[in-house]
Amino acid sequence: MNIIMLTIVVLYIFLMLAIGLWAKKRTTSTKDFLVAGQSLGFFVMAIATFASVQSGWGMFGNTGTIYGWGIQGAITAAIIAPLGFTLAWFLLGRKLRTMANYHTIYSVPDVIRVRYGSKVAHVTVSIAIFIGSVGYMTTQIAATGLITSLLFDIPFNTGAWIGAVIVATYTILGGMIAAVWTDMIQGVMMVVMSIIIFIIAMNNVGGWSNMLNSIYLDDPQAVTLVTAMPLTWIFSNTILILFGTVGQPQIITKFLMIKNEKELKWGALVTGIAYSITTFFVIGIGLSMKAMVATGKFEAFDDIDLAITSFLGSEEVISPIIAGLALVTLLAAIMSSASSFITIGASAIMRDLAQAFNIKVKKELLWGRIFSGIVVLLSVLVALYLDQIIYLMGAFGWSAFAAATFGPIAIGIYWRRATGLAAFLSMIIALLFNVVFTVLGTKELIVLPESFFAGGITFVLGILIFIIASYFTKSSEDKHRFDSLYTKNTNGGEQQ
Amino acid sequence: MNQKKIDIFIALVFLVFVVCLIGMLLNVWYLVFIPIPIAYVLFLMLSVIESLKANMKIIMIFSTLMVLIFLFIGIGATDTNPTFWGFSLGAGVIVYILWPFATISGLIYAFINK
């Protein structure tokens, strides 16, 4: 490895660990560990939000999808996502921050507990969040292994362990304070490198118009919406990304970290802009590689994920130092997502599940750190040694979170009729559907039509079940709890 | 909060997503597509229901723009000719209009929450 590149990587790692140590001194309570002491300003919160969503899958996987499918691959996770952030700000921002003024709310299960007081819903969402966090982490660990092995030219497993240890160390030390401040640095890196990579990509293909022309001459459908996947599938996926953003735990908890409502004002705009700039990375590499394959500069790839590694690995296309910086940026994207889920997953067991069973945890901070380590260890073990269940863990990812929490939280904090039993039913059915579809699809036990997008269907079903069940399971207690959500009335909920 | 109004919004959301689910299951793409901007606007209105009248103008401007953008995406969804700056009509509207619109959509939050 180039000595300059090695220096940059080592400096990056040291910076992350230094932030972890700095954050450790500022982390003196569970509130600090889980929600950064509810002290964040808008800019840090906004950049941390976008960085925790823009993951290895977003920057790595999406690039391959765009290379393989053409522009159709960019519609959902790349282009439409900022609208999801805006909706999250509208639906959740002020409401959650106000609730947090009157109730102790540090997590998604806390929101469910305060809103409904339903033990089964509380337990269900806590377990789901834990499994989902490990699931998310598993994919991040796998991506970390790939990137680190490319950077250091070491075996994949070794790379995965190194990456896991780095992100685990600073997160265990500094909790969410470390997570958001490293997210800040990582987010800025992602934005800056995305612009640089896009310029380099366009230089290699003679500019935007020339690139599209080359693609069209080779694969005319790649510049249309009717290419790899049916429109029904694409728009189902759009619904999941657009509305499902609101139900993601890493976003919901960010609203609980902000210091006051005034800090919400510009957050949606900053998050949207930052995320959109990183979209230039995926579209730039994805489409430029497609154009370069079309013009014969590269051989076509069977594995679409090779598009990004081939781009970054070719000295004809990009200087090794910038390629190395881009790989560090991908590592940053992975780590920024991973760090949030480590603390979220740890909280789900150590605090939320314990609370659901009235177990009083002494030394919450210590146990928070221990369970953070457990989340990372489980993720590494699954990613490296139990890869046959990775697909099952994946069933508890984005679509499961979206389906399980959108109704109970995004609708429930507005709608007095919403009930805890409805929340539980919609969660459990959504999670079961996700697992069933994942198992049936992966094991090829049934052949689903190409237009069938399980994630989107489960999400919509989750909302419909929540609404119907709320009408059929009237609860005066839930209505009473709703009435005290945004006041200091102690009858319906815990007072701060 | 006016819960009767919210009940109406929830009922409309329900109807919109029923149509959407039918489209997903029967592979009728426009039944999945059309609910997207409608549901988005409904949720937007739900989130500002306490101050809907005061913010109606800006909500209507935003909603109209969003519906128009999606209308043109829908019209051009099955287009196959690169008529819009290198893309088909639907793809071009997504890349050159929806993408910038989505990027700065957070401005509406800032305007409403002065």
Side-chain angles (χ1 to χ4, degrees):
Chain A
M1 180 199 251
N2 183 289
I3 192 73
I4 298 175
M5 206 43 249
L6 185 63
T7 307
I8 292 170
V9 172
V10 168
L11 279 174
Y12 168 76
I13 293 170
F14 269 118
L15 181 59
M16 297 300 111
L17 295 175
I19 292 173
L21 280 170
W22 166 79
K24 180 176 184 289
K25 288 181 191 162
R26 294 186 59 176
T27 302
T28 57
S29 66
T30 310
K31 190 175 174 180
D32 292 335
F33 192 80
L34 297 179
V35 287
Q38 288 175 332
S39 64
L40 298 188
F42 90 92
F43 191 75
V44 174
M45 182 260 186
I47 298 293
T49 300
F50 120 76
S52 62
V53 171
Q54 186 62 293
S55 65
W57 170 78
M59 292 190 79
F60 203 99
N62 253 354
T63 306
T65 304
I66 292 169
Y67 163 77
W69 299 0
I71 197 60
Q72 199 197 49
I75 294 169
T76 53
I79 288 177
I80 209 96
L83 274 172
F85 292 130
T86 300
L87 189 63
W89 250 259
F90 268 104
L91 278 173
L92 301 177
R94 187 165 273 190
K95 288 286 186 208
L96 287 184
R97 196 58 197 90
T98 307
M99 279 170 66
N101 285 337
Y102 301 117
H103 308 274
T104 305
I105 299 180
Y106 299 160
S107 64
V108 169
D110 270 345
V111 178
I112 296 292
R113 171 181 59 80
V114 167
R115 172 64 183 91
Y116 302 107
S118 159
K119 187 172 178 173
V120 283
H122 193 191
V123 169
T124 304
V125 77
S126 300
I127 294 173
I129 298 259
F130 176 71
I131 298 175
S133 298
V134 174
Y136 248 91
M137 278 294 298
T138 305
T139 51
Q140 304 310 310
I141 295 294
T144 303
L146 180 61
I147 302 294
T148 322
S149 63
L150 286 172
L151 268 173
F152 293 107
D153 196 21
I154 53 177
F156 172 84
N157 281 18
T158 310
W161 274 109
I162 290 174
V165 165
I166 293 167
V167 72
T169 302
Y170 69 73
T171 310
I172 289 171
L173 284 174
M176 203 51 96
I177 295 179
V180 296
W181 280 97
T182 51
D183 285 356
M184 246 288 287
I185 307 287
Q186 289 153 352
V188 169
M189 284 172 64
M190 285 152 69
V191 167
V192 170
M193 280 311 298
S194 295
I195 296 169
I196 293 171
I197 291 295
F198 183 77
I199 293 170
I200 291 171
M202 290 306 105
N203 270 342
N204 275 284
V205 290
W208 180 259
S209 299
N210 206 49
M211 174 187 72
L212 293 180
N213 194 47
S214 302
I215 292 172
Y216 176 71
L217 290 172
D218 181 63
D219 181 5
Q221 287 189 309
V223 296
T224 74
L225 297 181
V226 283
T227 168
M229 301 303 291
L231 287 176
T232 301
W233 191 97
I234 288 294
F235 295 131
S236 300
N237 199 354
T238 301
I239 283 178
L240 178 64
I241 298 295
L242 177 56
F243 298 104
T245 299
V246 180
Q248 300 308 304
Q250 70 271 41
I251 292 183
I252 295 173
T253 45
K254 293 292 188 300
F255 289 115
L256 302 172
M257 297 182 202
I258 203 144
K259 74 177 116 170
N260 57 54
E261 284 171 37
K262 287 183 195 161
E263 297 292 337
L264 289 166
K265 184 176 173 180
W266 294 107
L269 182 65
V270 171
T271 305
I273 290 174
Y275 191 96
S276 284
I277 293 176
T278 59
T279 299
F280 280 100
F281 181 104
V282 299
I283 286 183
I285 296 181
L287 289 183
S288 69
M289 282 305 287
K290 199 158 182 67
M292 286 193 272
V293 165
T295 53
K297 202 164 176 179
F298 280 93
E299 296 285 324
F301 313 104
D302 288 331
D303 180 357
I304 57 178
D305 289 332
L306 287 175
I308 188 172
T309 48
S310 302
F311 180 96
L312 296 176
S314 167
E315 290 189 29
E316 279 182 46
V317 166
I318 185 170
S319 99
I321 290 179
I322 298 184
L325 283 169
L327 283 172
V328 175
T329 300
L330 287 172
L331 201 59
I334 293 163
M335 287 182 171
S336 57
S337 299
S339 55
S340 288
F341 276 99
I342 292 171
T343 37
I344 288 170
S347 169
I349 294 293
M350 174 274 292
R351 187 170 169 276
D352 299 317
L353 199 59
Q355 219 169 47
F357 290 109
N358 295 319
I359 298 170
K360 180 78 183 146
V361 176
K362 292 177 187 169
K363 297 186 180 177
E364 264 190 345
L365 194 49
L366 173 63
W367 282 107
R369 290 188 163 120
I370 291 171
F371 273 96
S372 296
I374 290 173
V375 168
V376 177
L377 188 60
L378 280 173
S379 312
V380 174
L381 292 175
V382 171
L384 300 186
Y385 309 114
L386 291 169
D387 55 336
Q388 62 271 34
I389 68 167
I390 287 180
Y391 77 97
L392 205 55
M393 305 299 288
F396 284 84
W398 184 283
S399 64
F401 284 144
T405 62
F406 189 94
I409 294 182
I411 295 178
I413 57 178
Y414 289 89
W415 194 35
R416 196 166 180 263
R417 282 185 195 274
T419 68
L421 188 51
F424 165 69
L425 284 171
S426 65
M427 270 185 232
I428 206 81
I429 291 171
L431 292 169
L432 276 173
F433 263 94
N434 259 298
V435 170
V436 165
F437 281 133
T438 302
V439 169
L440 291 178
T442 309
K443 297 293 184 190
E444 294 178 354
L445 295 170
I446 56 168
V447 177
L448 296 164
E450 214 181 23
S451 62
F452 193 92
F453 181 62
I457 291 170
T458 313
F459 174 72
V460 171
L461 262 177
I463 292 177
L464 296 177
I465 290 167
F466 177 72
I467 294 173
I468 294 172
S470 288
Y471 270 108
F472 282 106
T473 57
K474 293 183 173 62
S475 165
S476 56
E477 193 189 324
D478 285 332
K479 286 179 181 168
H480 189 56
R481 290 189 82 89
F482 177 87
D483 293 336
S484 64
L485 271 185
Y486 309 108
T487 67
K488 281 189 178 177
N489 184 328
T490 55
N491 288 336
E494 185 188 331
Q495 192 177 33
Q496 276 276 47
Chain B
M1 273 185 267
N2 187 327
Q3 283 298 316
K4 282 199 176 132
K5 266 193 200 167
I6 292 176
D7 281 344
I8 294 170
F9 271 104
I10 300 301
L12 288 171
V13 162
F14 184 85
L15 282 171
V16 164
F17 277 123
V18 165
V19 169
C20 190
L21 185 63
I22 292 170
M24 287 176 176
L25 294 173
L26 299 182
N27 190 16
V28 182
W29 70 265
Y30 47 85
L31 290 185
V32 181
F33 177 75
I34 291 168
I36 296 173
I38 298 173
Y40 195 94
V41 168
L42 283 173
F43 282 124
L44 209 61
M45 288 183 170
L46 175 67
S47 71
V48 295
I49 199 150
E50 290 153 20
S51 57
L52 191 54
K53 259 191 186 168
N55 294 302
M56 189 53 88
K57 196 174 173 184
I58 187 144
I59 296 271
M60 288 314 299
I61 292 171
F62 180 87
S63 306
T64 305
L65 285 172
M66 188 164 182
V67 168
L68 279 173
I69 290 170
F70 273 80
L71 175 68
F72 280 99
I73 293 170
I75 289 170
T78 53
D79 250 21
T80 52
N81 294 315
T83 50
F84 192 166
W85 296 341
F87 289 109
S88 67
L89 174 62
V93 172
I94 287 176
V95 173
Y96 299 123
I97 299 175
L98 179 63
W99 188 7
F101 178 79
T103 301
I104 61 167
S105 60
L107 269 177
I108 184 177
Y109 186 86
F111 276 132
I112 285 177
N113 293 276
K114 285 181 217 156

